[in-house]
Amino acid sequence: MRRFVIRRFPYILIILAIASFTLFLRPSVAQGPYTLEVNSEADGTLAALSVNGTCDLREAIETANTGAIITSNDCNFTPSGGGDQRLAQYIIRFDTSAGVTPDELTIALDDALPTITSQVDIGGYPTGAPSATSLVYLEPAGRAGSIGIGLEFSVDGVYDANNSQVTGMIIRNFGIGIQVDRADNVQIGNIAGDAFRNYIYGNDYGIEIREPTTFDTIVANNAIGITETTGIIGNAIHGIFVHRTARNTVIGGGSAADGNVIGRNGQHGIQASGVTNINISNNIVGIPTSGSVTDAGNLGAGIFVTGSSDVIVRSNVVGYSRGNGIVVNNSPDTVLDDNDVGNLPNVTTRIGNGANGILIRGSTNTDITNSSVSNNGGNGIAISSSVNVTIRSTLIFNNSRLGVDLDENGVTLNDGVSDPDTGANRRQNFTEFNSIGLDTIANEVTFNGTLPTVPAGYETIFYVNPAGTCDPSDYGEGAQFMTVGGSPYIRGSSNGAFVETISGPFNFGVGDAISALTINLSTGDTSEFSECVIVEDATLVADFDPRAGTFEVGERILFENLSTGAIASVSWRVEGVEVATTWDFQRAFANPGIYTIDLVITGTSGATATARGRITIEGPTPEPTAEPATPTTVADVPTETATSTASVTSTATATVTSSATATSTVTASATATASATASSTATATSTATATSTVTSSPTATASATSTVTASPTVTATETDIPTETIEPTPTGTPDLIVTVVGDGADNMSVFISNIGDNAANNLLLQEFLRDGVEFRAAFPGVPICTENAGVVTCRLGVLDGGDQTTIDITLSTGGLAPDSGQTVVSADGVPPQIIDEPFIFKIGEPPVAPPGSDITYTIRVVNPTDESAFDMVIQDRMPEIININGVESTRGTVEVDGQDIRLALAELAPGERVTMTIDATVRDDIDATEIINTACVTSSSNDNPNCAIMSFLAVDSLGNTGEATLVSQITRWLSIFGAIGLLALCGFYLLCFRRA
């Protein structure tokens, strides 16, 4: 430590010596401040003014600069009696009652005032509170070109105008209204209100700030180029000119009250040239007052920054410039934030600039954020010879040329090459949209597009242009941010093609145009706007005509596609089999029957919609045929002749749909009276055409030959009365009953009963599976049951009257009800029996549920039929391992009673669906390997529950490769015991070794 002190002690002495010498050279600070009140409009030589008995402005400034009494001390200066008076602060105020015009002093200078080299506070109002009616004019009497008020170092470099302030003055018609040259912390204007405002107009330069030793100048709440009566008299060159490496300048300030009003200057409203760290904020440039639409535009740019660094341009309103609104030229690290360029802050009122709204040229690392750039005569934002220009959260619209123009040469098309390229913002490629579809029913929008490769990824900012307002070039602008749920939508993604669907609500509709800016996340380079893409109606509505009706066999039917939406493909299906992919479809049916026609449309987003119809095909029914029955022989009777007519009455119960030939047996009973004994032979011939069993009991008196017809009428000449029975055997039509039963898991059974008296021929079962349900097996199996494209077809042959058959089908349901599809059973001549009820399916997330984890059940019930389902009830009983946190439903009334959940719904219309969401937690005090429960739905039209089952895998923990099996757990414990044994053995040997 001693060495440290000894080595550094000489340096400490040197520092103290320098400080002491500096203090010695600098005079001691005198007391103050001192107030000098100007009470005269006179000007002339200092000698003449010092004896005129009034305090003139030139006398007051000379007193402040020298700290000495000027002759007769007209300004009532009282020295403190100690120190150098030049280091005191001097407050200069004005007695405006002394002017020719009441409350005004107009001081016309014969020559330039002395440059102020001491600390002054010049306020153009009386001592005390300022008055809005007090006016102090400062102007040259004879010639322009001089400086109105100048503040700087003194010639000897010891005294300066640091910490000075000028407020409440009207300074006009000079070469330079106010100049700050090599002075620190000077404030021009005051943030306390318009009564303190300087009005600086009609000069060559309104305010000039210069030199590298000029630090921390503040220019606030001044009117520059605008008169005290809000007239417009600009300065000939620049309103405010900051240059020659002046540093840390603030023009305006942190609030609206700090801002300057700057208008109608001959070149730029504000020019910053070759300066460091300048903040230009809250200024009104180009209009006389905030909110005005009077044109006070500057003849060059509103704000022009060149050759400068660390520039902030924030919260300014810039309009009516004859050139560009804001220019950043050869100035790195510039921030343009929250500016309104070409419009008032309400965004809708137009005050457009003549050329580009914003021009960035030869600059790097420029951020343009939270702004609005509109109504300008050129581009919204033009970028030339600049890179790393980032545009975020900025509205750009209604500009005469492009919203954003790279290289100022019109639309720069994507080159198909991985960025970066050469040129402005490295010619960053923009997102290309193929289509944008809005599904108004599902409240979803689907973007389909591509972005050429960007190595570090990109960010896309979406914009909405209301219908008919896209940029004339068709390469977009951004009138509004595209919002989703009220927030701007910004999409970050990897490279290449993308299809993305998001849910609303949105702030746009069908017919509006979407565009976007793309930002390279590595460089910050922002692209030009994407080409406008009109939002299409992607609401998929499948429809065709005819969807019902009766037609003849062989008649060619045109099915006209009436579907709407963003449709990518079409599929026509007859009885579940795809037959065409054309827009419309024609078909002639060869056989009678009822046919199901499905139209499936697929949208550009991949979503599908289906329309179903059923048509009836009729044709001629073949006539039945009959064969004659075998004759019946009757024994002869004795001689006599008698004639009798027998009537046959038959009773039949049957359904006739087929042609048949029936053979009847006739038994006749006849009684005859004879006068002689004879032997005769009677032959009865019966001809019958019937589809039923006929029993006849004719009575006849027959002779040797009798004939019985199908009427039946028997004519006989005999005394005998034979008895005959006719029994035809026809083939009839079956009557089918179909029942479908699902077990809620992966199995379903179809029961088919023939309650008719006759066989069902060519019995056919078709099961149309729902999307997401996959066929696994059937019993009976192949070749009786086969599956193709989601349709299980079982050809069951003949089912006799009174018989029943069962088909068992195994499926992979993915949580859907196995019997949620459509079941169609048909046979020859039998109308199809169709079972299609509202179905239920259930999903859960995540599939693995460790103790204490949150899980979500989603239960949906869909009514795919053409009729409403009434009095619907959905019930789910949760297992005890599940804690129910909350239940929500899109419709109906939900009740939770312990582990029982019940949703009641009065009606579910055709095509409608209802969704119930159950938020739950797995309890950690109950063990289970699988969590299973079943949800069922019933309605007034179907009181047999339709169920769906869902199971979670319950585990204590889950490793990287899944759940640990029993074998792996046993192996793990054996390994642990083996390791313990090995360690014990090693310890034993070590112990023995040490003892040895």
Side-chain angles (χ1 to χ4, degrees), residues 72-346:
S72 61
N73 193 15
D74 296 329
C75 294
N76 297 319
F77 169 53
T78 303
S80 63
D84 194 324
Q85 307 302 314
R86 289 174 293 180
L87 296 179
Q89 181 191 33
Y90 289 84
I91 299 173
I92 299 177
R93 296 292 184 264
F94 297 83
D95 179 3
T96 57
S97 64
V100 174
T101 302
D103 292 320
E104 291 185 14
L105 281 180
T106 300
I107 302 173
L109 300 178
D110 290 339
D111 202 353
L113 291 171
T115 299
I116 299 172
T117 57
S118 61
Q119 181 183 351
V120 297
D121 175 359
I122 300 178
Y125 40 81
T127 303
S131 169
T133 61
S134 299
L135 301 173
V136 176
Y137 293 88
L138 186 64
E139 59 187 22
R143 63 181 183 83
S146 58
I147 299 173
I149 294 177
L151 302 105
E152 63 177 48
F153 271 144
S154 63
V155 175
D156 58 16
V158 175
Y159 307 102
D160 53 55
N162 292 352
N163 304 306
S164 291
Q165 178 172 300
V166 179
T167 59
M169 299 291 291
I170 300 171
I171 303 174
R172 59 191 183 188
N173 302 328
F174 292 95
I176 300 172
I178 298 177
Q179 183 187 73
V180 181
D181 182 4
R182 295 168 296 172
D184 297 342
N185 298 304
V186 172
Q187 180 171 314
I188 301 173
N190 192 298
I191 64 173
D194 291 349
F196 293 84
R197 172 174 286 180
N198 295 303
Y199 292 90
I200 304 171
Y201 56 85
N203 308 285
D204 291 339
Y205 294 92
I207 297 173
E208 182 189 30
I209 302 166
R210 51 185 287 171
E211 300 304 329
T213 55
T214 300
F215 289 88
D216 303 317
T217 305
I218 297 175
V219 180
N221 193 21
N222 299 280
I224 302 170
I226 307 299
T227 72
E228 65 279 5
T229 59
T230 66
I232 303 171
I233 302 176
N235 299 285
I237 305 176
H238 306 314
I240 300 174
F241 186 29
V242 187
H243 65 126
R244 294 175 67 169
T245 65
R247 303 184 182 187
N248 305 341
T249 305
V250 176
I251 300 176
S255 70
D258 304 338
N260 301 283
V261 180
I262 304 168
R264 198 55 60 81
N265 297 286
Q267 292 189 22
H268 307 312
I270 301 170
Q271 173 160 332
S273 178
V275 301
T276 302
N277 193 9
I278 183 170
N279 187 317
I280 304 171
S281 298
N282 280 298
N283 299 286
I284 307 298
V285 183
I287 52 178
T289 60
S290 176
S292 171
V293 293
T294 300
D295 182 352
N298 297 281
L299 302 186
I303 300 172
F304 191 97
V305 179
T306 182
S308 302
S309 61
D310 297 320
V311 179
I312 295 176
V313 180
R314 175 172 287 135
S315 301
N316 302 282
V317 177
V318 182
Y320 291 132
S321 303
R322 300 303 185 261
N324 301 292
I326 299 175
V327 177
V328 177
N329 182 68
N330 294 321
S331 299
D333 305 316
T334 298
V335 173
L336 306 179
D337 177 59
D338 192 33
N339 297 289
D340 292 290
V341 184
N343 54 262
L344 294 182
N346 63 15

Side-chain angles (χ1 to χ4, degrees), residues 624-631 652 656 658-666 685-695 709-710 725-732:
T625 60
E627 296 180 0
T630 304
V656 179
S658 59
S659 174
T661 301
T663 301
S664 7
T665 302
V666 179
T685 302
S686 171
T687 302
T689 301
T691 58
S692 60
T693 301
V694 180
T695 304
T709 62
T725 302
I726 303 173
E727 296 178 349
T729 306
T731 301

Side-chain angles (χ1 to χ4, degrees), residues 488-539:
Y489 180 64
I490 300 175
R491 179 182 183 275
S493 178
S494 56
N495 304 308
F498 63 89
V499 175
E500 182 176 36
T501 299
I502 58 175
S503 298
F506 309 105
N507 66 329
F508 60 89
V510 173
D512 290 342
I514 303 295
S515 189
L517 291 177
T518 299
I519 303 172
N520 186 317
L521 294 179
S522 174
T523 63
D525 293 325
T526 301
S527 70
E528 294 181 356
F529 273 96
S530 303
E531 184 176 10
C532 278
V533 177
I534 304 301
V535 178
E536 300 174 347
D537 187 351
T539 306

Side-chain angles (χ1 to χ4, degrees), residues 619-624 657-658:
T621 302
E623 293 295 333
T657 59
S658 59

